[in-house]
Amino acid sequence: MILVTGATGNIGSVLVRQLAERGLPVRALTRDARRAVVPSGVDLVEGDLGRPESLSPAWEGVDSLFLLQTGDEDTAAVLRSAGRAGVERVVMVSSLLAEIHPESPIGGGALRGEQTVRDSGMSWTILRPGEFASNALWWARAIREHGVVSAAGGDAGSPVIDPADIAAVAGRVLTERDHEERTYPLTGPAEITPRERVHSIGRVLGRDLVFEELSVEEERERLKQFMPEEVADSLVDIDSDADRGPGVRTTVEDLTGGAPRTFEQWVAEHADSFR
Ligand SMILES: NC(=O)c1ccc[n+]([C@@H]2O[C@H](COP(=O)([O-])OP(=O)(O)OC[C@H]3O[C@@H](n4cnc5c(N)ncnc54)[C@H](OP(=O)(O)O)[C@@H]3O)[C@@H](O)[C@H]2O)c1
């Protein structure tokens, strides 16, 4: 049995569906089973990663774990609980920032999570995705209501990745044997700037959308409404660095045999969120 955490999220919902379609035994973890929607045949269980004692029902019969870091948990405690219950393998989502900006709060946190997984005594694989295509959902309301997206770093490209590709890689890694003790950086197929992303959404919707460049200071103030100040500061520095280029990695294609999906493909599948 494979336990998928984050099963209602961008990666996990696709992973659950893909594993179920392959006929593999899969269980989806959520904090609220009344809200969660999973394909028929998928076992749905409630638990909170921030309370490892709540996870006992989730571990029953599980040998492999797909693990997100939600920010609520003590990863070491979660893995101890999993190990005691007989879980043998963990595939964890980290972040490409662990490689390209290990000094940043998010990169540093991701590295600490990775070390916990490496020290867990389980068989492990770490996935380090770059920026998600689905982060464009943060713009959905502004696009629906005004057709204007305001952000800084409009010309700083990033090879955003479709979470479905992260799920495809995870599906392979969870069910094949030769990925143990590997750390895989994952990106989309090409660098695309925020300005180009907004125009791409406009093309799919058939609307003229406007990208409005914010100053670094304005962006910092905006982000501070949603996150701690030091995280906002560091994200603004990373996001507005036009030369940061994490670079396109070939790992998705190497591991799945298929080219990673473009940003515009992701938009086409999620167009209703912007209408
Ligand atoms: N966004 C990016 O650009 C980016 C880049 C690199 C890495 N990442 C990493 O990717 C991960 C996010 O993945 P995603 O976008 O697929 O997720 P998401 O769509 O943000 O959804 C979050 C998921 O986590 C679950 N969750 C939250 N708190 C929980 C808790 N205390 N206990 C159990 N489950 C909990 C939620 O489930 P319920 O609400 O159903 O309980 C939900 O399924 C994070 O670890 C992030 O650091 C993101």
Side-chain angles (χ1 to χ4, degrees), residues 6-12 29-32 35-36 47-50 68-70 72-73 93-96 129-132 134-135 138:
T8 59
N10 296 304
I11 310 169
L29 182 79
T30 179
R31 287 165 299 174
D32 185 355
R35 249 186 339 110
D48 186 332
L49 290 165
L68 288 192
Q69 292 195 280
T70 68
D72 292 337
E73 63 279 338
V93 176
S94 172
S95 166
L96 196 55
E131 196 173 348
F132 291 6
S134 49
N135 293 355
W138 299 338

Side-chain angles (χ1 to χ4, degrees), residues 3 14 44 67 94 101 105 127 134 166 169 195 209-210 212 223 239 265:
L3 179 70
V14 181
L44 182 65
L67 184 64
S94 172
H101 282 287
L127 309 182
S134 49
I166 306 172
V169 168
R195 194 184 305 280
L209 301 180
V210 174
E212 178 189 68
L223 290 178
D239 285 349
Q265 282 176 303

Side-chain angles (χ1 to χ4, degrees), residues 33-34 37 39 41-42 60 69 77 81 85 96 102 107 110 119 125 142 157-158 170 172 181 211 236 238-239:
R34 285 163 308 178
V37 180
V42 170
E60 215 165 290
Q69 292 195 280
S81 162
L96 196 55
D119 293 342
T125 308
S158 171
R172 292 288 184 127
E181 304 197 1
F211 183 88
V236 168
I238 293 170
D239 285 349

